[in-house]
């Protein structure tokens, strides 16, 4: 019997599973990589299990009550999905973000260790911080050498 806790398993069991469940899972962005995420995977597998049972209303409620849904806006959720499912595309987007922020911060006179800045920028990107939030994060880190803003 196929493992229906993954999209691949659902597809393998497609004779026993309504294709609508797969289509809904895909539309909601539930990729195998996201279902295996160490933080959100378990609760999202519950959503998938409800879809497999054709309980679409229950699945929608479970998704909306999940920490993944409640704690992440669209930008952050998209980045989590991208990081889990398309690491190359995530790395490219992260690199573009870092380059743009570094240009902005240098123009503002920020001096900070490159390794420390890289870690801050990665966290900021993953958290979906805007420029003001990033600036506040850098200021509160105490790691910059001159004032900016």
């Amino acid at each position: 019997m196929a493992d229906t806790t993954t999209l691949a398993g659902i597809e393998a069991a497609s004779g026993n599973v309504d294709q609508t469940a797969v289509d809904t899972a895909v539309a909601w962005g539930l990729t195998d990589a996201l279902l295996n995420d160490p933080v959100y995977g378990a609760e999202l597998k519950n959503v998938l299990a409800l879809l497999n049972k054709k309980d679409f209303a229950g699945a929608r409620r479970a998704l909306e009550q999940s920490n993944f849904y409640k704690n992440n806006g669209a930008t952050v959720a998209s980045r989590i999905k991208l990081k889990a499912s398309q690491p190359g595309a995530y790395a490219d987007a992260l690199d573009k973000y870092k380059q743009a922020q570094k240009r902005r911060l240098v123009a503002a006179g920020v001096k900070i260790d490159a390794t420390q800045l890289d870690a801050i920028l990665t966290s900021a990107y993953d958290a979906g911080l805007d420029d003001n939030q990033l600036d506040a994060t850098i200021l509160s880190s105490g790691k910059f050498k001159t004032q900016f803003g």
Side-chain angles (χ1 to χ4, degrees):
M1 178 163 193
D3 174 13
T4 57
T5 63
T6 68
L7 294 177
I10 292 173
E11 290 172 357
S14 61
N16 301 323
V17 178
D18 186 345
Q19 184 62 35
T20 306
V22 174
D23 294 342
T24 303
V26 170
W28 290 353
L30 300 180
T31 64
D32 282 338
L34 190 55
L35 293 169
N36 292 318
D37 181 82
V39 176
Y40 302 111
E43 65 184 357
L44 295 176
K45 282 182 180 179
N46 180 49
V47 172
L48 187 62
L50 292 167
L51 288 174
N52 285 336
K53 294 176 184 175
K54 300 178 186 166
D55 182 0
F56 296 101
R60 182 67 186 209
R61 272 192 310 279
L63 178 65
E64 290 175 354
Q65 293 171 358
S66 70
N67 286 321
F68 176 78
Y69 184 87
K70 290 190 294 187
N71 297 331
N72 300 303
T75 299
V76 175
S78 174
R79 289 176 181 170
I80 290 169
K81 291 175 192 176
L82 193 64
K83 188 176 187 177
S85 302
Q86 297 174 282
Y90 167 82
D92 182 56
L94 175 60
D95 184 59
K96 289 175 182 172
Y97 171 82
K98 286 179 179 180
Q99 294 305 318
Q101 290 298 338
K102 286 176 183 177
R103 282 191 298 276
R104 183 183 71 80
L105 293 168
V106 166
V110 174
K111 294 182 181 177
I112 186 170
D113 176 76
T115 303
Q116 293 171 334
L117 179 60
D118 191 64
I120 291 170
L121 290 175
T122 298
S123 294
Y125 180 78
D126 288 346
L129 301 186
D130 65 22
D131 290 355
N132 292 327
Q133 292 169 315
L134 173 60
D135 293 350
T137 299
I138 292 171
L139 283 169
S140 67
S141 75
K143 298 181 189 294
F144 71 98
K145 296 178 184 160
T146 61
Q147 290 187 328
F148 70 100

